[in-house]
Amino acid sequence: MSWARRWTRDILRDSPLADDAELIVSELSTNAIRHTASGWESGSFHLAVAVSAQVVAVSVTDDGGAATAPKVEHQDQDAERGRELAMVSALAHRVVVHDSNLGHTVTAELYADARPGGRRC
């Protein structure tokens, strides 16, 4: 997964959103590997980063195989697991989960001119 963080950092080299995007990539890819067939020996996940002047969108698509779709669950602050999507949701302005027969895609959007929750700076 270090390759995913480095790749994201390289793409967003001059962006003020680079740190948050890198952390989101780390959390989403970890979630895919821990909870889906992406973590199996033959598994993989797909990472996409879309960049515009206003938005950075980070998407991770897993290989499926999980009994349930990813969702944000509010865990105890001291919990060791289960906080990945809650953390992503706290950093991103919008998080969308798409399900398909092939797996799940989680997309986190970061807006350059707004604070999390959609408030303008």
Side-chain angles (χ1 to χ4, degrees), residues 15-78:
S15 172
L17 301 174
D19 289 340
D20 287 348
E22 183 180 6
L23 182 55
I24 288 170
V25 164
S26 180
E27 295 299 324
L28 293 180
S29 57
T30 296
N31 200 40
I33 289 170
R34 282 187 181 162
H35 302 293
T36 74
S38 294
W40 299 353
E41 186 175 336
S42 62
S44 65
F45 63 88
H46 177 80
L47 169 62
V49 178
V51 182
S52 75
Q54 292 82 26
V55 180
V56 170
V58 174
S59 298
V60 171
T61 302
D62 63 43
D63 279 348
T68 59
K71 61 184 175 186
V72 176
E73 293 182 2
H74 299 285
Q75 299 288 331
D76 183 296
Q77 189 172 350
D78 296 326

